Amino acid sequence: MQDFKTATSRRDLIRGGAMLASGAMLMRPTTVLAADSNMAAIRKAAEAGRDASLKRIRDWIALPSIAAENRSMKEGAEYMAELARDAGFQHVEIVPTDGHPGVFATLDAGAKRTLGIYFMYDVKQYDPAEWSSPPLESRMVDKPGLGKAIVGRGAVNQKGPEATFLAALHAIRAAGRKLPVNIVLICEGEEEIGSPHFKQVATKPNVLAALRKCEGIFIPASWQDGQGNVQVNLGSKGIIELELVASGEKWGKGPKGDIHSSLKAMVDSPSWRLVQALQTLVTPDGNTPAIEGWFENVRPLTEREKALIGEIAKSADEAQQKKLLGVTHWIDGLPYDKALERLAQEPTVNIEGLVAGYTGPGGKTVLPGKAVAKLDLRLVPNQTRAEAERKLRAHLDKHGFADVEVNVSGGYDPTEVSEDSRLIKTMLATYAHAGVKATLNPRIAGSWPGATFTAPPVSIPAGHFGMGHGSGAHAPDEYYLIESSNPKVAGLVEATMGYADFLYQLAAIK
């Protein structure tokens, strides 16, 4: 494992030009962009910056800022700030919060329009034993049917795509071109724990004033699938991350600590107490929330949203999707289009993990004094985090589980954005310019703190944008494509050029 502290100089680590050339071309960009002197010069600069740009990604991956473990968070914020300065942002500040700090930066190009960019500098935890190569070394590996990719924690979620956006800024500057829009950059280090303090960053007076000038904001993402297609998402589900804790101490029954399991005949079990509480949260099949009032504010899908989902179902490869997920059928045996509707429409109660007593090799005959369930609750419009937390607590109390603790670690409301917004129109125009097939998607089932931007007091459109490909977020062998063998899938230079083109498209679009 590479120790970040062995680096001789943080600035030396992040100096460099734009992204590594992949050698693969998208369907049209070479001929289209060659006709534009700005883009031709920027592409040349991007290709010239290959080695330094690749090093920038690898060195960032080598610094594993992990909020859940309070690991390298101060260093992560400082490194993020240095990346921003190196990319040309004139004002950069580290923003303290009640948790881990955020970073705020502005790049004033004297342009008429301003774009917001959201970064996260934290990553998920990892177990090196589960990886085929050390997760901080970012080794280059062959991916059959795709090309060469970097494997490392944070490669696709989210450091690879974010570094690719920075590469576009480096390339524009190296080409001697002026940015067509101003940029407001806002970063956090707690996305992977539910962004519990991010609103403190976004609503700091100078940050809020800058964000409200933006046409919209997006998080860079490697959004192409293995065939080169993308989805333009018009929203995402909200989330609450929490744990439920049943303990003998709070319950007043059962042991306060672990005792011998033979005593179960006369001592209550906090573990079974937790299981019984969990069973009340969902229907017997585990598929539908049963918390009182959970659906009273849920907005049904519109006919337009159902039509968009129907188009996605027609063009998607259902068999391949099942293979990737390791499943053989969808809930209730639903056909694919109805399963996709359910994916967008339904709130969920999911058990991430259950922990009690001994879980190592062999047996250890104990009756645990405490049991913990890690949950995530996905929310849809028009649910809110505050409403959901109240209803969960009231439900447990009503069913006789007032002793079961609800410890919320983070979360946020659902995000929605209009397809008529300038942000979405620019995404579609940029994908079209690159010859990338783009499909409108009403809502992704995943979550990000976009509601921080779409809701008051910021109130601007928010979404995801980016070419390129990667996979394995939160999992072993997470990867980000570097050299694409598929002419329809962007490698790093093509993805870099996608971000550069977005800036010009936003400046020009009506």
Side-chain angles (χ1 to χ4, degrees):
M1 183 180 299
Q2 181 177 347
D3 187 342
F4 179 70
K5 294 180 181 178
T6 63
T8 57
S9 165
R10 183 180 296 110
R11 183 170 291 275
D12 287 343
L13 286 179
I14 62 178
R15 283 291 178 195
M19 300 302 299
L20 164 68
S22 73
M25 301 297 172
L26 296 177
M27 294 173 66
R28 298 192 298 152
T30 303
T31 55
V32 173
L33 300 181
D36 186 301
S37 60
N38 280 331
M39 287 302 174
I42 293 167
R43 175 176 285 275
K44 184 176 180 180
E47 291 170 344
R50 166 182 175 145
D51 292 344
S53 297
L54 179 56
K55 188 174 189 299
R56 187 183 301 116
I57 295 179
R58 283 179 157 160
D59 290 337
W60 201 4
I61 289 173
L63 172 58
S65 300
I66 302 175
E69 299 175 347
N70 194 21
R71 181 178 177 184
S72 301
M73 297 310 297
K74 179 177 181 289
E75 295 88 345
E78 291 172 348
Y79 193 75
M80 181 67 255
E82 201 64 39
L83 282 169
R85 293 187 189 99
D86 199 56
F89 286 84
Q90 300 108 335
H91 172 81
V92 180
E93 65 176 285
I94 294 176
V95 182
T97 73
D98 292 338
H100 300 302
V103 177
F104 167 64
T106 56
L107 202 169
D108 186 354
K112 293 182 179 180
R113 290 178 177 168
T114 301
L115 172 67
I117 298 293
Y118 166 85
F119 275 15
M120 48 183 281
Y121 66 83
D122 65 319
V123 298
K124 273 291 186 186
Q125 310 93 300
Y126 59 86
D127 179 355
E130 298 175 342
W131 291 62
S132 62
S133 64
L136 302 185
E137 287 189 6
S138 56
R139 290 183 183 174
M140 195 84 75
V141 303
D142 289 317
K143 290 287 181 181
L146 293 172
K148 294 184 181 297
I150 282 178
V151 171
R153 174 54 84 226
V156 69
N157 184 28
Q158 211 66 37
K159 292 178 178 179
E162 290 170 351
T164 306
F165 178 83
L166 294 177
L169 301 185
H170 280 280
I172 292 170
R173 183 173 59 184
R177 297 314 197 259
K178 182 180 178 181
L179 274 175
V181 297
N182 312 309
I183 299 177
V184 172
L185 178 66
I186 183 170
C187 319
E188 69 163 318
E190 297 183 326
E191 198 281 338
E192 296 293 12
I193 60 170
S195 303
H197 304 102
F198 182 52
K199 194 169 184 179
Q200 295 177 17
V201 181
T203 56
K204 186 173 180 283
N206 64 323
V207 179
L208 176 60
L211 286 172
R212 294 179 74 172
K213 295 177 182 177
C214 295
E215 298 289 336
I217 189 167
F218 71 76
I219 176 173
S222 55
W223 221 239
Q224 289 184 283
D225 62 20
Q227 290 72 49
N229 303 319
V230 299
Q231 290 184 355
V232 175
N233 301 305
L234 300 177
S236 60
K237 289 184 176 180
I239 190 172
I240 303 173
E241 286 198 281
L242 60 92
E243 61 181 22
L244 298 184
V245 181
S247 66
E249 183 175 4
K250 291 285 186 180
W251 187 19
K253 298 181 181 181
K256 292 184 178 180
D258 292 359
I259 62 175
H260 197 280
S261 65
S262 64
L263 297 169
K264 178 65 194 78
M266 66 178 186
V267 178
D268 292 299
S269 167
S271 296
W272 284 113
R273 177 74 170 166
L274 179 62
V275 169
Q276 291 162 358
L278 290 169
Q279 287 178 327
T280 72
L281 301 182
V282 293
T283 52
D285 61 6
N287 292 334
T288 303
I291 301 167
E292 279 82 0
W294 203 248
F295 287 87
E296 66 183 1
N297 292 323
V298 168
R299 176 179 68 75
L301 292 173
T302 66
E303 291 305 312
R304 170 64 174 163
E305 288 170 332
K306 290 180 180 180
L308 292 175
I309 292 171
E311 290 302 313
I312 292 172
K314 289 178 184 177
S315 61
D317 187 335
E318 180 183 7
Q320 179 65 15
Q321 181 72 358
K322 286 181 175 178
K323 181 179 178 180
L324 289 172
L325 294 174
V327 302
T328 58
H329 63 278
W330 310 116
I331 279 178
D332 299 329
L334 291 172
Y336 192 41
D337 59 337
K338 297 302 179 183
L340 289 177
E341 284 187 11
R342 198 180 194 285
L343 184 66
Q345 168 68 43
E346 295 298 310
T348 60
V349 173
N350 176 60
I351 298 176
E352 296 177 352
L354 286 169
V355 181
Y358 179 73
T359 60
K364 186 178 181 182
T365 52
V366 296
L367 192 168
K370 183 172 74 171
V372 179
K374 298 277 189 177
L375 305 185
D376 64 62
L377 316 178
R378 301 283 173 168
L379 310 177
V380 300
N382 291 318
Q383 291 181 296
T384 67
R385 170 186 168 174
E387 167 207 359
E389 288 182 20
R390 288 195 303 269
K391 289 178 176 177
L392 174 61
R393 181 70 268 171
H395 170 91
L396 290 170
D397 292 350
K398 179 180 177 180
H399 287 263
F401 296 100
D403 58 281
V404 173
E405 300 173 60
V406 178
N407 300 325
V408 177
S409 57
Y412 31 78
D413 295 346
T415 302
E416 290 191 277
V417 59
S418 169
E419 63 182 285
D420 295 325
S421 66
R422 188 172 282 133
L423 181 73
I424 298 300
K425 288 180 178 179
T426 302
M427 291 180 185
L428 293 172
T430 306
Y431 287 134
H433 194 197
V436 174
K437 181 182 177 182
T439 306
L440 283 173
N441 179 33
R443 187 176 308 119
I444 58 171
S447 304
W448 75 295
T452 304
F453 308 115
T454 57
V458 182
S459 303
I460 60 174
H464 310 75
F465 174 80
M467 299 175 198
H469 172 76
S471 189
H474 299 187
D477 291 344
E478 176 183 355
Y479 71 88
Y480 183 57
L481 189 64
I482 301 299
E483 299 180 9
S484 177
S485 60
N486 183 341
K488 294 184 178 181
V489 180
L492 282 178
V493 159
E494 282 67 41
T496 300
M497 294 307 297
Y499 291 122
D501 191 35
F502 184 99
L503 303 180
Y504 283 90
Q505 295 283 355
L506 179 62
I509 202 163
K510 301 297 184 183

